[in-house]
Amino acid sequence: MQQERAETLALQVLVWLVGHDDLLPVFLGSTGLGEDDLRTRAGETELLTAVLDFLTMNDDWVNDCAAAIAIDPHDVLRARQALPGGEDIHWT
């Protein structure tokens, strides 16, 4: 997946996340961001990366989001891998 497509997908995930009153405060609390930060920084790669990192912490969140935005759940991880810091790490 190309970075531009990954960022677009991450924006879709962010929109989904903002629509979940139970999950959004958890994301904001874990990142230290406020709702104003989301509005002003929504297009920044760093924020989009944080959104995908957060979502991938829970398989149910990934599956729910993927179903809601009509994507393959594996595309969330593919998008994260396409953004800076998401490269596969090989320890050998």
Side-chain angles (χ1 to χ4, degrees):
M1 180 177 296
Q2 299 296 320
Q3 183 169 340
E4 184 176 330
R5 170 70 181 118
E7 289 176 353
T8 300
L9 189 143
L11 277 170
Q12 292 175 298
V13 172
L14 177 58
V15 169
W16 175 84
L17 181 61
V18 167
H20 283 77
D21 294 336
D22 56 333
L23 201 51
L24 181 60
V26 178
F27 173 72
L28 294 175
S30 69
T31 61
L33 296 170
E35 290 182 19
D36 288 338
D37 295 317
L38 293 183
R39 282 188 275 285
T40 59
R41 298 184 57 201
E44 293 180 13
T45 303
E46 183 180 72
L47 177 78
L48 298 174
T49 298
V51 167
L52 295 178
D53 283 342
F54 176 78
L55 187 72
T56 58
M57 292 186 340
N58 184 297
D59 289 342
D60 290 334
W61 299 344
V62 171
N63 290 327
D64 291 347
C65 178
I69 64 174
I71 62 167
D72 181 329
H74 294 100
D75 282 345
V76 175
L77 185 55
R78 290 181 189 112
R80 178 58 190 101
Q81 290 172 332
L83 296 176
E87 300 84 11
D88 286 334
I89 297 174
H90 300 282
W91 297 101
T92 59

